[in-house]
Amino acid sequence: MALYDGLSGEKPAVVLDLGNRYTKFGFVGEFSPRCIIPSEIKCPTTGQIRKISSYKNEADLYALLVEFIHKLYFKYVLVSPKDRHVVVVESLLTPTIFRETLAKVFFKHYEVASILFVPSHLVVLCALGIRTALVVDVGYRETQIFPIYEGVPVLSAWQAQPLAAGAIEQRLRTKLVESYRERTYASGDAGRHFTPDIESLSDSVIEDIKVRGCFVPDYERGQQMLDGMIPGPPPSLDYRVGGSYVVQIPGSVRQAAFEPLFEKDNERCSLPHLILDAIIKCGIDTHKQLAENILLVGGTVMAPGFKARLMEEIKQMLKTPEYSEKLPIKSVKMHRPPGKENYMCWLGGAIFGATDMIPMRALTKESYLSLKMVPDWSNLATNILLVSKLAIH
């Protein structure tokens, strides 16, 4: 038995936030996760490193989750999963096959005591102690925006677009390849830095370049780039890859990587557009509170200059005829979270799981084996049971 188990009579529950790129894992009641690791595992059949989100079917997902959860328990937190409660922080848009397979792995393979599924965009408010906010979750595959009013998600107003870390890294890779193709071998400096491997840089290297060397320019500079003008670029950056060669990151590439989130087009799918459209779709009496309670979560929002640029973009957009009449808002405010934005949803789940909600609302192993399904808000059979006030045994 682990030392952590012997400190109290009851085994502390664990909190799992399994994202597309990174997974956060730890115990309830703690202020930060025990580990933040990539959501990938060595495939037991092929031996290749595969992402959890790259599953082909239910059987393939089951095998990946078994190996990945074993790694979480026995390498990072060093406790046994048997008869232990689990809090799963998930998006409201999680595919049914994923949550059903995850529950099957926990209950049938690891024999956990119970699972409490909590919506990430709702429990994140527990970390701030508020009941109303516009939650902007900038993930890896897409950005999801959920208005939460008095503790209730406004599902008719949610927004989602593939404007997230994946689009930023794709733009960074494209711009980097273009800048190297424009160089010639005639220049001595370019010849020193040029390498034919620039097009084959791994995703982890591109991500590291994004985190270490890229930033979000201010509003004026962004407008100049949008209008086709080329402002004075910031200094270039030398990035050493594997200790073998150096990749020079031009200043123009560093400042252009995050622009996909703010580029305006005819479909109005930029991040500021999504935020304002989500507010418009809510009741008119909620507009002011939502605009003054914007909460940004996700690792992408931690980029230098991101919050200042987004705030200025929203303020300038509110002055346009498109939004000035629909949203007569005088102030826009953003919350400063008590922790890092990349694990704020996990922190909300850790706080929520430390209350008495687990014995009240968790799905026990006995209920799961009897029901043979996971209750879901989008499942008509589950809603009928709740409306009829029938106990799920």
Side-chain angles (χ1 to χ4, degrees):
M1 178 180 291
L3 177 61
Y4 196 90
D5 289 345
L7 297 178
S8 62
E10 185 179 356
K11 297 180 179 180
V14 296
V15 184
L16 171 65
D17 183 3
L18 208 163
N20 283 313
R21 174 58 72 91
Y22 287 101
T23 293
K24 282 73 70 177
F25 194 65
F27 293 100
V28 298
E30 296 188 347
F31 60 88
S32 64
R34 292 294 182 96
C35 65
I36 302 178
I37 62 173
S39 301
E40 58 188 23
I41 193 65
K42 186 176 182 180
C43 182
T45 56
T46 63
Q48 299 179 347
I49 300 298
R50 292 182 54 192
K51 296 181 180 179
I52 304 298
S53 58
S54 66
Y55 60 90
K56 302 175 183 178
N57 48 47
E58 184 178 350
D60 186 32
L61 176 59
Y62 185 91
L64 292 176
L65 287 175
V66 166
E67 296 293 327
F68 186 67
I69 294 175
H70 183 276
K71 177 182 177 181
L72 291 175
Y73 274 104
F74 297 102
K75 182 177 180 180
Y76 292 101
V77 297
L78 304 178
V79 296
S80 173
K82 187 174 182 180
D83 298 329
R84 187 182 294 273
H85 302 286
V86 180
V87 178
V88 177
V89 182
E90 61 167 5
S91 169
L92 286 169
L93 308 180
T94 300
T96 302
I97 183 177
F98 191 90
R99 66 200 313 266
E100 290 281 355
T101 307
L102 182 62
K104 184 178 179 181
V105 170
F106 271 123
F107 283 126
K108 294 190 175 182
H109 191 90
Y110 290 105
E111 299 181 353
V112 300
S114 67
I115 301 179
L116 177 62
F117 290 95
V118 294
S120 59
H121 305 97
L122 181 59
V123 296
V124 69
L125 303 187
C126 295
L128 284 82
I130 59 178
R131 295 175 57 85
T132 299
L134 183 69
V135 182
V136 181
D137 184 3
V138 186
Y140 177 71
R141 286 187 174 180
E142 63 181 3
T143 294
Q144 299 177 0
I145 301 176
F146 277 91
I148 309 295
Y149 189 76
E150 290 299 325
V152 179
V154 185
L155 297 179
S156 60
W158 69 274
Q159 302 284 318
Q161 284 289 342
L163 302 173
I168 295 171
E169 294 174 13
Q170 182 61 38
R171 173 65 62 87
L172 174 59
R173 184 186 294 274
T174 301
K175 288 290 186 180
L176 195 58
V177 171
E178 289 177 356
S179 67
Y180 269 81
R181 285 178 176 174
E182 292 174 357
R183 300 186 184 187
T184 62
Y185 290 97
S187 173
D189 182 69
R192 177 174 67 87
H193 288 283
F194 181 79
T195 170
D197 297 331
I198 190 67
E199 298 186 18
S200 60
L201 291 176
S202 63
D203 293 340
S204 60
V205 172
I206 293 295
E207 181 190 13
D208 197 47
I209 293 175
K210 178 194 71 174
V211 173
R212 295 176 181 269
C214 297
F215 62 94
V216 182
D218 57 23
Y219 178 78
E220 289 75 13
R221 183 179 289 265
Q223 290 300 309
Q224 291 178 2
M225 291 189 292
L226 185 64
D227 296 337
M229 303 173 59
I230 303 177
S236 300
L237 175 69
D238 287 345
Y239 182 86
R240 186 172 296 276
V241 180
S244 57
Y245 58 90
V246 174
V247 175
Q248 188 179 62
I249 314 299
S252 58
V253 175
R254 296 176 59 200
Q255 69 179 1
F258 285 84
E259 287 307 301
L261 301 183
F262 304 99
E263 290 177 347
K264 303 177 181 63
D265 55 16
N266 294 330
E267 296 182 358
R268 303 189 312 169
C269 63
S270 67
L271 183 56
H273 274 114
L274 294 178
I275 293 176
L276 295 181
D277 289 345
I279 297 177
I280 289 177
K281 288 186 177 182
C282 298
I284 190 172
D285 56 328
T286 66
H287 290 176
K288 182 177 184 297
Q289 286 182 272
L290 292 174
E292 295 181 351
N293 288 276
I294 298 178
L295 176 60
L296 303 178
V297 296
T300 303
V301 306
M302 299 172 63
F306 183 91
K307 298 175 184 177
R309 171 72 178 277
L310 180 59
M311 177 70 78
E312 189 61 28
E313 289 273 358
I314 294 175
K315 289 181 178 179
Q316 294 297 329
M317 201 167 291
L318 285 173
K319 299 177 182 179
T320 61
E322 182 181 357
Y323 292 104
S324 60
E325 296 181 0
K326 298 179 182 179
L327 285 175
I329 299 174
K330 297 182 179 179
S331 64
V332 178
K333 300 178 182 179
M334 295 182 181
H335 281 280
R336 180 178 296 176
K340 299 294 185 181
E341 287 87 347
N342 60 335
Y343 65 81
M344 276 302 299
C345 292
W346 180 94
L347 180 59
I351 296 175
F352 189 80
T355 63
D356 57 354
M357 289 296 104
I358 290 182
M360 291 177 58
R361 298 190 178 185
L363 176 66
T364 62
K365 180 169 58 177
E366 293 77 13
S367 299
Y368 174 78
L369 297 177
S370 174
L371 194 61
K372 295 182 175 56
M373 62 175 290
V374 178
D376 192 354
W377 65 271
S378 61
N379 191 320
L380 182 59
T382 302
N383 293 334
I384 292 175
L385 288 175
L386 293 176
V387 171
S388 303
K389 297 182 180 180
L390 297 178
I392 301 177
H393 299 291

